[in-house]
Amino acid sequence: YITLTNLSEHDVNRIIEMHISPVNVSVHTMNPELRVEMMKNKNAGTSLAILKRLADAGIKLNTQLVLCPGINDGKELEYSLNELEKLYPALSSVAAVPVGLTKFRECLPRLSEYTPEGAKEVIRIVDDFGNRCKEKYGTRLAYCADEFYLKAGLSMPDEEYYEDYPQIENGVGLWKSLESE
């Protein structure tokens, strides 16, 4: 997954000209100001325009939203999903994944893990969006990482939920795939 923040104009044009597809993008949020803050990169907000350029050129996009409790979930998550939907049909999938926290966080902002209640709320938001997209487009578009279900103490969705497992490498449906195999 790339963030698009260090791509030059030449890089973007080359992706389009060579029709390199799909492109996997770590979005985090579609809110430009929040994206700058989260990524500590002045180009993070303006680089979101590259998503539209790629979509307009027919480049398929797999995206991920790395969610941080109280930062880019809740209303921000709803906003990001709705903005990403505008990229359909180039938008192939969205994975909502929880931020990975390690002990190596010196000099970094304080982040917390998802609580069971917070994980349930993320699942609710993503599933409401996914159900609406399934009805509208015939595909869910958005999926939660298995970790959210484990954290929430909920059963994994059935195999049909994951369609063709577009985000399995992101830990989305991995548990169900292993179970069915």
Side-chain angles (χ1 to χ4, degrees), residues 146 150 154-160 162 165 168 173-181:
D146 296 356
L150 295 170
L154 299 174
S155 298
M156 298 290 164
D158 60 22
E159 201 168 5
E160 292 77 34
Y162 296 104
Y165 293 94
I168 198 163
L174 193 58
W175 189 281
K176 185 54 73 176
S177 176
L178 178 64
E179 186 179 81
S180 68
E181 286 176 15

Side-chain angles (χ1 to χ4, degrees), residues 1-7 23-51 54 62-66 68 71-72 76 79-80 84:
Y1 282 79
I2 61 173
T3 62
L4 307 175
T5 56
N6 63 347
L7 291 183
V23 173
N24 299 331
V25 182
S26 192
V27 175
H28 298 340
T29 179
M30 289 295 285
N31 174 333
E33 295 81 21
L34 181 57
R35 193 167 195 255
V36 167
E37 184 181 326
M38 288 182 75
M39 295 182 148
K40 304 291 185 231
N41 183 314
K42 66 181 179 174
N43 298 319
T46 56
S47 65
L48 288 173
I50 297 170
L51 285 171
L54 296 175
N62 292 309
T63 61
Q64 70 175 3
L65 300 169
V66 178
C68 302
I71 297 174
N72 62 335
E76 287 291 340
Y79 174 79
S80 292
L84 285 167

Side-chain angles (χ1 to χ4, degrees), residues 56-176:
D56 288 347
I59 305 296
K60 293 292 181 190
L61 301 167
N62 292 309
T63 61
Q64 70 175 3
L65 300 169
V66 178
L67 300 178
C68 302
I71 297 174
N72 62 335
D73 55 1
K75 293 289 183 200
E76 287 291 340
L77 173 57
E78 290 174 1
Y79 174 79
S80 292
L81 290 169
N82 289 325
E83 289 299 301
L84 285 167
E85 181 186 1
K86 294 174 184 176
L87 302 174
Y88 184 82
L91 179 69
S92 294
S93 64
V94 180
V97 300
V99 63
L101 299 175
T102 70
K103 64 181 179 179
F104 304 103
R105 296 202 40 82
E106 265 182 51
C107 302
L108 293 174
R110 182 166 163 77
L111 295 173
S112 58
E113 291 182 37
Y114 271 94
T115 63
E117 296 76 26
K120 286 177 186 172
E121 179 62 6
V122 167
I123 293 167
R124 184 196 64 75
I125 291 169
V126 172
D127 280 355
D128 285 352
F129 175 82
N131 292 338
R132 184 170 50 81
C133 288
K134 182 78 171 170
E135 191 173 300
K136 192 172 179 181
Y137 307 116
T139 181
R140 300 192 61 74
L141 281 182
Y143 311 84
C144 282
D146 296 356
E147 191 175 338
F148 277 116
Y149 292 94
L150 295 170
K151 182 63 82 172
L154 299 174
S155 298
M156 298 290 164
D158 60 22
E159 201 168 5
E160 292 77 34
Y161 172 90
Y162 296 104
E163 298 172 8
D164 63 350
Y165 293 94
Q167 291 273 356
I168 198 163
E169 73 278 357
N170 247 344
V172 176
L174 193 58
W175 189 281
K176 185 54 73 176

